[in-house]
Each structure stands twice: as structure tokens, then as C-alpha cells.
Amino acid sequence: MAHPPTTGAAGSPAAGALSGRRPAWREGIERARAAATTEPGRLRLIGAVLAALVVAFGAVTAWQVSDRRTAADAVAEHSQPLSAAAADIYRSLADADTTAASAFLAGGQEPAEVRRRYEADIDRASKLLVRAAATTDGSATAREEIRRINQLLPVYTGLIESARANNRQGLPLGSAYLRYANDTMRERLLPSAGRLYQAETARLGEDYGEAKSWPWAAIGTGAAALAALGWAQRRDFLRTNRVFNRGLLASTAASAVALLWLVAGHALARAGLDDSDRHGAQSLHVLNEARIDSLRARGDENLTLVARGAVVVDRGEDKGKDAYEVSYAERMADLVGEPGAGAGAGVDRAVSGSLLARARDLADDAEGRAPVDEAVARLREWQERHKAARAADDAGNYKDARAKVIGGEGSTGESFDKVDKLLAKALAHEQREFARAADDGRGALTGLAVGAGVLAALGAVAALLGMGRRLAEYR
């Protein structure tokens, strides 16, 4: 009597049947392939692809718009304020150095107002450094420069106090301490502050670049989704002679609205950010440079009287000349050009290419140009008064020269104060212009990420419903 084969034995028919069975994933693929050979199967596949494309478009749009909105927020709320704070640190340090030289020129009993201004500058710089250290992130250069300035600032203030103490006693050593303090400021502190400003300004440029870059991935995905929807509707028309598929038409409309919103919204945001850059951030950068150069020119002017020719240029065509007077002339040339070169038609203008000429070109309204034009006139006045002070000093009349520099009405100090106030006014105006344009730019992206996501979801549902209506005809 024959026995049935054992099902678990090797080489048995049962084992052979099990070993010949196809994996589940392969069976799934073959079933999908077989279903695609029928019209209902093709419709299901087309509906799934259309819905996936529309959803992908919404997801990529939300992602890229969110990134650009974050970068635009960083421009307005983080990187530009940090850049402005770094410029203010530089200006406060330069003003402290200039004020210290003015106090020294006044003699042993410096005016209380001048002393308060110096102390306010040092205090402001210290507070700004603390704030910058707390808010600066991602920049090793910025952190290192903040650390270096914090180390050098007590050294500088100690040298200034030594200069004051010796000056009060009438000792000539005071001027040596002041020159050493000035060297510390100009050769170590201000270069560090300048590098800090450059690092923060570079970060601002990176944020601008990210905020303004076109969302090409989202635009490309949206175009692909619209193309696929158009193809599906044409296919439907050719097979059924029906002009419209309501579901596909609604999906196309939702996708088209999202794409147009994306392109128009980003174009408006880009225009606003461009405006905030050119007529805001760039204007602020040039005006900050101009204000710092005016401070350094004032410091050079004071130190020319303090040093009395003890510091000279040791190389180049200016060899043997007073180093501070040469530096003063260079600063003035950077600000407005050579004396008298900008005059014409009864109106004094800064020479093309100078800092104040660039600031005027970047100002986009009369309110921004007016203080710059007035600053040019006051700088020309300063240059003429400086010539008179130098002539008195060269003639051996030191007291008269000092009065023309640090005296009241009619002195170069009066001209400098007017220039500084006018540049501060121009900076305040351009800061407001920056804030307005930056807010307009990032405001154009408001709601776009969420809106694109909602439209994409509606479009995907409409596409599935449209294809589902066609599938119902086969039941």
C-alpha cells in the first residue's frame, strides 16, 4: 500500500511548491501592472500620480517659502541690527578717542561736558559689546573680535587715565601716554571693531541672499503638476469627448493660483528686500563709514596739536610730514574730495566717488539727501577753519591755534559737532527707510506657506474626485 508523500521532507512536492512561490512584493507589482492594462487601472494610477504631484508642489512651496521668510525675518530683526550695533561700537570707540584728545588739549582741568562724553562713549561701547556677545551666533570671527576688544578696552582706558593724571600735573609725559593710548585705539581696538562690523555685515549679506533667492524647486514642481493636469484633461477629452472634468479643472485652478501666488509674492518680497538693501542697508553702511571718518579726522586734528610734530610719516611721498595732518587730509578726501573740488553753480557738492557723494546717490528722497548736502557744506567750512588753525600753529601762535580747534563759536569743533549731528540725522532716516522696506518685503510672504499647503490639499482632493467620477462610469 502506497503512503502519501511527507509534506516536510526535503525534495517532496510540498517543499517544491513552497520553494516555487513568488514573493508578495513581486505579486503586487504584477497585479498593478495587470491592472494598468485596463482603463480603470490606468485612471487609478493617473489619479494617484496627479494627487502626489500636487501635494509635492504644496509641500515644497511651504518649505522654501518658510526658509525665505525666516531669512527675511533675520535680515530685519537680527543681522541688520547686529551690523548696526557693530558700527555703533566702532563709532563709540572712535568718539571716545577723539574726545580724550580734546580733553587733553583743554589742559589740566578738562571741561566736565567733555569728560562726560568720553565716559558715555566707553560705557556705551561696553554695553554694546555685552549685547553683541549675547546675540552673535554662528560667527567665530565675531566672537573672537568681541573677546579681543573686551581685553584691550581696559588697557586703553588705563592709558587715558595716566595721560590725564600727568597732564593735570603739567608733566610732558602726559602727551606720550595719550599718543600710546591713541596707537592702541587705532592699531588694535579700531581694527578689531572694524573686523567685527565686517563679520556682521557679511552675515547680513548672506541673509539677504537667502531671502531673495528664487524658490526654483517649488516653481518647477508647480509647473510639472500643471503640465500633468493639462495632459490628463486632454487625455480625458480625447477618450470621452467631454470638454471639462470638474475635478481636474478645480485641481488645475488651485495649483495655478498657488503657483501665481508663489511667483508674485516672492517677486514683491524680493523687490521690497532689494529696496531695503540699496536704500537702507547700503545707505547705512556708507553713512556709518562717513561718520567714523569724520570722527577720525577730528581725532587727527586734535592730535596734531598734542604731538606738535613728534609723529611723522616715515615713508612714501609724505615722508617727514606730520602723520596726523596727513591722516586728516586723507579722511577729508574720503568724505568729500579735495577742498573746493565739489563747488559749482553756487552749490557745494561732494566729489563723485567720495563717501558723502555715494550717500547722496543712495538716498531715495529729499529728506534723506538734505542732511547729507548740509553735512558737505559744514565739512567745507571745517576745512577752511582747519586751514586757519594750521596757519596760526605754523606761525608759532599755539594758543590761537588751540582756540580755533577746541574753542566755541567759529572753531573746527563747532563744525565737527554740526557734521556729526547731521550724519546722525541721516542715519536715523535711513534706518527708518530700511525698516519700512524690509517689513514690506517680508510682509509679501505672509500666509503664502500655509495658503500653498491648503490649495495643494484641495487640489489633490479635487484631482482624486475628478478621476473617481470617471471610474464610476465603469461600475
Side-chain angles (χ1 to χ4, degrees), residues 320-381:
K321 294 182 179 179
D322 186 289
Y324 296 118
E325 180 63 17
V326 170
S327 179
Y328 164 86
E330 290 173 349
R331 300 298 172 197
M332 283 295 182
D334 287 343
L335 283 165
V336 289
E338 295 300 325
V347 180
D348 206 3
R349 297 287 187 216
V351 176
S352 177
S354 64
L355 285 171
L356 290 186
R358 287 162 54 197
R360 191 181 194 282
D361 291 340
L362 288 169
D364 61 345
D365 57 14
E367 189 177 354
R369 289 188 291 269
V372 175
D373 288 339
E374 182 65 18
V376 172
R378 298 285 73 77
L379 279 163
R380 298 295 189 202
E381 175 187 78

Side-chain angles (χ1 to χ4, degrees), residues 223-244:
L226 285 174
L229 285 164
W231 171 84
Q233 290 173 88
R234 183 174 183 277
R235 180 183 184 277
D236 192 43
F237 170 73
L238 293 175
R239 288 178 177 270
T240 66
N241 287 326
R242 292 174 181 169
V243 178
F244 297 119

Side-chain angles (χ1 to χ4, degrees), residues 115 118-119 156-167 177:
R115 181 64 184 174
Y118 165 80
E119 291 174 346
Y156 171 79
T157 55
L159 290 169
I160 291 296
E161 292 309 311
S162 296
R164 289 181 67 230
N166 282 275
N167 194 37
Y177 272 113

Side-chain angles (χ1 to χ4, degrees), residues 11 135 357 468:
T135 55

